Amino acid sequence: MDIDRLARLLDLYLDEGLDSETKRELEEMLLANPKAREFFWQRAELNAHLRQHGQEAWGVKVLGQDGEGGDKLPTVSESRQAKPILKWIVAGLAASLMLAMVGSWILRDGGRVGTRDQVALNSSDMNASNESSLDGGQSSSVDDERPVDGLRDVWVAVLRKAVDVEWKNPLNAPSVGEPMKARRIQFENGLIEIQTNRGARIVLKGPADLEVISDMEIRCEKGRLSVDVPPPAQGFLVHTPLVKVVDRGTAFAMDVRGDTTAEVHVIDGLVELSSQVVDLPMRELREGEAVGVATDGIFNNIPAASESFPSTAEINSRTRAVINEMRQSWKQRRKAISNDPSCLVYFDFERTNDGLRGNQDTIVRNHARDAEGNGNGIIVGCDWTSGRWTGKRALDFKNVSDRVLFSVDGEHESLTCITSIRVGSIDRTFSSLLMSGDAVEGELQWKISRTGADNPMGRLRLARRSAEWDNSVSDFLSDPVIGPQRLGTWMQLAFVWDGINRTCSQYIDGELVSHDFIQTLPDSSFLRTGQLELGNWTPRGSDEVMSPVRNFNGRMDEFVMFNRAFSQSEVLAFHDLKAAYWKGQKANNWSDPSNWFAGVVPTRSDDVYIDASDEQKAVFDSGATEVLSRVIVGSKTGRFGELEISGGSLFATRNSDRHTRVGVAGGVGIVTQSGGEVDLNTLQIGLDPSSQGTYQLSGGNLLLSRGVSATMSSLEIGPQLGRGLLEISGGTLMTRRGVTLGRDGGTGVFFVRGSKASRIDIGSFRDFDGFWVQNTGSTLKVRVDDEGVSQIRVHETTADDGANVHFSNGALLDVGFEATPSAGEWDILKWDGDLVDEGLQFASHVDTDVWSFSFVDTDSSGSPDTLRITAQP
Amino acid sequence: MLFGANDLNSTAPTHRDHVNALFVLHSPRIRGFILSLLPNMSRADDVMQETFLTITAKAEDYERETNFVAWACTIARYKVLEECNRNQKTSLMLSPDVIEAVCVSHSPMTPDEEEGRLAALKDCMDALAPHTRRAVELRYSRAHSAAEIAKLLGWSTDSVYVVLSRARTALQKCITTHLKAVG
């Protein structure tokens, strides 16, 4: 027997490479010789082990393959790799019904994924491009890996819905409607729904940390989730640190809190539980039953409460609410666009109530104020369909003749076009977005191009004809960023032609995808409009045209053209309907629409971003805001934001799990409040590495009316490696829950300056007790004035032993005089609960010959309730 | 946490629970068996699931203390043959009579044996040359076909077959040496 030949044939068999000839040869060998059959099993078992090993190593980046999912976070798979092999075997068993197999879903051109009415919210892997080619034909620079990567990839699940989600790493967040590979998903709050390729549906509520391992297996470290498993996904597996749950045709809910506790509630059918901690027999759990697991790994029966878990109904209703809010925001923005004097064309594709009624189906009205009825679009072909949300109208382009014709006269030194589309498929080399066929200098053509080398990825491409007499064009191209996974999801595309700065930029969903210099002669850096078409092209120039058929396949529900250049922030603001971005153009009054990008003052449930230079701080001095979601001041590395509040009422309590932040993600933020009412859910000052936040309260009232969970503070100063300062020299501060100074490596300063603040009440608002947690390196700073110093009170509101005070070893106390030094003693912090003091100490510069501090039992209860400082100058 | 009394003993495991637990315990071997007869990974996955459903349904047929893996593999074999009949023209599977013949000489490993081999495999993987390892990972972690690996790595399909084959020969040798060294 030729063992080498047998090995070669067996390997071909295992790699699915046999043809009829080699198959016959292999089978003859196997039938003829028992040794061959023995060798067959040796090789086949190695093959099976390799597969098992390969699946367990799932998620580990394939060596040297860049751009894969872009997940820079350590995945659970990676961390698991470090564990001993025995653990692996256990995990292998755990993966038991290893149905856990990798659903391999080949996405081809034209494949559609995702829900129809969702808006894809971000595009994490887009890169700016500096590429420019002037040949008007094939692109010269092609990324070798990308196209193949897009051609076939292992997609295991799709993110169907995401409501009010705050991703832990926004740059790497999945988009709604996009298929996803095995990956880790982390978010602080909000609600998502994932469906695996086997049909298992997971609704998950943050804070959550979940790894999608395959279409039959997930691992959850943290979060509240409900899982609905249809027959094709029977055997679906949920790993958690304490318990493993195998579905047996069910719906069930879980609450997972890392390695401390887990609960499993069966809503329907039954599941099997195995302890991950101790060696227990498998436990079966039926409808209406529930089990809790603590660190000991033992199963304990608990009352079933599956109705308290996130459900499809809940996510649907929240989605509807969000869509409603988006629609409201969109209507307001629509008004602002129409009134913008720079707006040349605005098609919103909605029904109109004017004289066009008879031609509703064939005319799309131009809403630009100064168009005065000119520039209406003539619809040729096209079907009416639904747009980004239920009730929004859109045009469906499908046929080679479908198009919208309109005309806009003139040459434009600067031009911005923004459109909202849903690509059905990229059928051709060029899919037209906005095209001119005039064949004159400056003619513009905006399209999605897909050359053979890029297949199946598309690029955003703006072309400008350089001269009337020849076919030469300047091309501005993005990287091939429109992949098959974007098909069927809504995107907002934009180009900005800036003839003054001589740049051309393109955007997808507010993210820059190309930025190039315009290389024409200085006096000819204009774009010419004229006869235009949406979604198609009619060449009118030379007869020799490359790819004459250029129709777009997809939907469009908004198109707008301005004769000025938008900034990047403005494009982003245009895209993000749930956020308002400070522009600070005209004086600095909050209530002036022209101070906000997209010209709309923050409305109900908006996230408000204030980033500007110090000359352009936002001033809020009168009136009342609608109920906002939150306010972010100083939101990114290199950004500085300032908000001054001197009157009026500012509310940011719309979504209970949204925190207002001052200095986040590396940004620097300052809020000064000298008057007015400010009502926030929770306040985080100086969050994340290298962020700095300052909140100075000298008058007015600051109310922090929520804490996200039982352990969550209402006020955090310096969490997560950030640096934060709260300075109170007047007014009142009231919170519902506790205060944390410095968390996870950050440092915070709570500064009480003098005696003018009338109340500093922690935990006095409504239910829940206050608490005070001061971690190592964080400081309680007080300055005594002639009247003394305002006292901080930590209240017990319920009867469950809260209102405790905790000083870590190395927590600092910084004391001094605001005015003339004088002898005396002052009670600076008072609490109703217990004290844990691991080592509060004076800051190094405090003169300990003058100052001392003590914990005092003022009510003779037997335990200290007051922090008292004493000065003897 | 409001946990009630521990009632571990309140529900005695049924025979079916026992069978399912055995399936969990032995699933790597059953999967391996199926993959040996059906090298296409995604189809093997389907057959594995069908096997699980059949085993659950036929749990009563299993007699305790008899060889579970052998019993489960019999069911799996039928499922593979069904798959084989559905796709008669393919040259990617062995013919039914050959499948029957090789199954006669199949003797599954014990879990201990398997554990040792997997541990050895892991060490041996680290010793592979980077490009070989990459091909192996694309094949086994990501279930790419040889043609797809060829495209991804810019090789010819034939060279992918050769590289994978050499990798298996090298790994088999390495594992044998490793196990001998461990004793």
Side-chain angles (χ1 to χ4, degrees), chain A residues 347-350 364 382-388 392-397 404 406 418-423 432-434 446 490-491 493 533-536 552-560:
Chain A
F347 297 143
D348 66 1
F349 299 104
E350 293 297 276
V364 50
C382 298
D383 289 325
W384 285 102
T385 181
S386 60
R388 275 168 285 179
K392 174 86 191 74
R393 292 219 307 173
L395 272 186
D396 193 10
F397 297 80
V404 174
F406 64 109
I418 303 175
T419 184
S420 170
I421 61 162
R422 201 185 87 164
V423 180
S432 302
L433 297 168
L434 172 70
W446 192 32
W490 283 93
M491 294 187 277
L493 311 182
E533 293 183 30
L534 293 178
N536 219 320
F552 166 65
N553 184 343
R555 301 176 179 194
M556 182 179 289
D557 80 353
E558 195 169 33
F559 174 82
V560 57

Side-chain angles (χ1 to χ4, degrees), chain A residues 543-554:
Chain A
D543 298 331
E544 295 168 32
V545 171
M546 190 182 65
S547 316
V549 181
R550 300 186 178 186
N551 65 304
F552 166 65
N553 184 343

Side-chain angles (χ1 to χ4, degrees), chain B residues 165-182:
Chain B
S165 181
R166 282 185 190 153
R168 288 196 194 92
T169 303
L171 286 169
Q172 206 153 13
K173 209 180 245 171
C174 171
I175 290 168
T176 312
T177 319
H178 209 282
L179 291 176
K180 270 186 193 149
V182 173

Side-chain angles (χ1 to χ4, degrees), chain A residues 11 13-16 27 41 43 47 51 54-55 58 68 93 96 101 152 198 232 263 284 301, chain B residues 1 4 7 16-17 25 27 31 36 40 45-46 49 95 102 139-142 148 165 168-169 172:
Chain A
D11 286 330
Y13 161 71
L14 295 171
D15 291 326
E16 301 173 81
E27 291 189 329
W41 285 111
R43 207 67 162 187
N47 180 60
R51 177 64 174 149
Q55 277 192 310
W58 183 257
E68 290 264 331
L93 295 176
S96 72
M101 304 165 239
R152 186 196 199 283
R198 287 277 182 179
E263 291 179 15
E284 215 173 67
N301 287 350
Chain B
M1 197 60 47
D7 81 336
R16 206 170 61 149
D17 293 336
L25 180 66
S27 61
R31 282 185 66 238
S36 304
N40 183 292
D45 289 349
D46 291 339
Q49 196 179 11
S95 313
V102 294
R139 175 79 187 126
Y140 287 104
S141 270
R142 302 171 50 111
E148 287 157 355
S165 181
R168 288 196 194 92
T169 303
Q172 206 153 13

Side-chain angles (χ1 to χ4, degrees), chain A residues 166 188-189 607 627-633 650-664 671 678-687 695 702-719 726 733-740 743 765 768 771:
Chain A
E166 195 174 354
E188 299 293 340
N189 43 51
D607 287 342
V627 183
L628 309 170
S629 173
R630 60 172 169 180
V631 182
I632 308 282
V633 183
L650 193 154
F651 303 103
T653 53
R654 177 78 184 94
N655 298 319
S656 60
D657 52 6
R658 282 294 194 268
H659 318 292
T660 282
R661 290 169 170 167
V662 181
V664 62
V671 177
V678 176
D679 182 357
L680 311 172
N681 283 330
T682 49
L683 175 61
Q684 292 180 309
I685 305 172
L687 173 81
Y695 196 113
L702 173 60
L703 170 65
L704 306 176
S705 56
R706 285 191 172 107
V708 168
S709 64
T711 52
M712 185 77 192
S713 320
S714 286
L715 173 63
E716 286 194 315
I717 307 173
L726 173 68
L733 167 69
M734 186 161 44
T735 74
R736 189 171 184 181
R737 285 185 166 145
V739 172
T740 301
R743 174 169 66 76
F765 180 71
F768 302 116
F771 57 81

